[in-house]
Amino acid sequence: MKGMSARKLSEHLEELGCFRTLHVREAFEAVPRGAFVPDALALDAYRSAPLALPSGGVMTHPYIFAFMLDQLYLRKGNRVLLYDGGSGWEAATIAALVCPETEGAAPQRQLVFALEPSEETKEKATERARAFGAAGGIVFFTEESLAGSQGPFERIASVKKIPTETLSSWKEMLSIGGRIVAPQGESIFVLQKNGPDDFEEKKFFGFHFAE
């Protein structure tokens, strides 16, 4: 699939059953993966595969990320905690779904709080988001405690497997009515918070996640 465009990639993902809602597909096309990689990797950005970056980050497999976005049920104004995006593409796509449209040069309200694995990946992700014009609604962190202090959140997502203790803390940071979507084993689990101690869980099997 080398040389695919953002539109071609979204068409391919739709054929695989992604994009239950039109606005998720529109965000995928509006925030092209190729804008968040070095020029040398631009052609590879539209392959339906994870993509390792020189900074050490990994762009999530497009199919997996599209599936997760569908399960997050993102709405305008949602506050979102994103764990370990690695490239800025994931955060920018979420921002396209939750940040209200602004007029002129009005600043966007920060709604996406992206936790990066290192200072280098944070700087690269911030740089790419700023160059694309998506940085206004996003703030990047390297410390989980600082990112978590921005809660509560209506949505929490991880593109990598998370330890059990992290999930426990996320339940506390999640607003009632909120959702957590994250990898667990070879599945994607969805956690809906219906009350202070009332959680509804679903699992979707058959996924493989890049380590």
Side-chain angles (χ1 to χ4, degrees), residues 36 75 118 124 147 163 194 205:
F36 292 83
R75 299 292 181 266
S118 70
K124 290 292 185 183
N194 299 321
F205 297 92

Side-chain angles (χ1 to χ4, degrees), residues 68 72 79-85 113-116 143-184 188-193 195-196 198-199:
M68 294 177 69
L72 279 167
R79 291 169 60 82
V80 183
L81 174 63
L82 173 65
Y83 186 80
D84 205 6
F113 303 88
L115 186 64
E116 294 292 337
E143 293 184 38
E144 187 167 0
S145 60
L146 292 178
S149 69
Q150 307 301 310
F153 302 99
E154 283 83 33
R155 303 290 188 270
I156 301 178
S158 174
V159 295
K160 291 188 178 179
K161 298 176 185 179
I162 58 170
T164 303
E165 58 269 22
T166 297
L167 178 59
S168 297
S169 67
W170 282 3
K171 288 180 177 180
E172 297 296 322
M173 290 189 276
L174 191 65
S175 300
I176 293 175
R179 293 169 76 83
I180 296 173
V181 179
Q184 188 178 65
I188 290 175
F189 76 89
V190 179
L191 206 65
Q192 172 86 25
K193 187 171 184 177
D198 180 10
F199 295 90

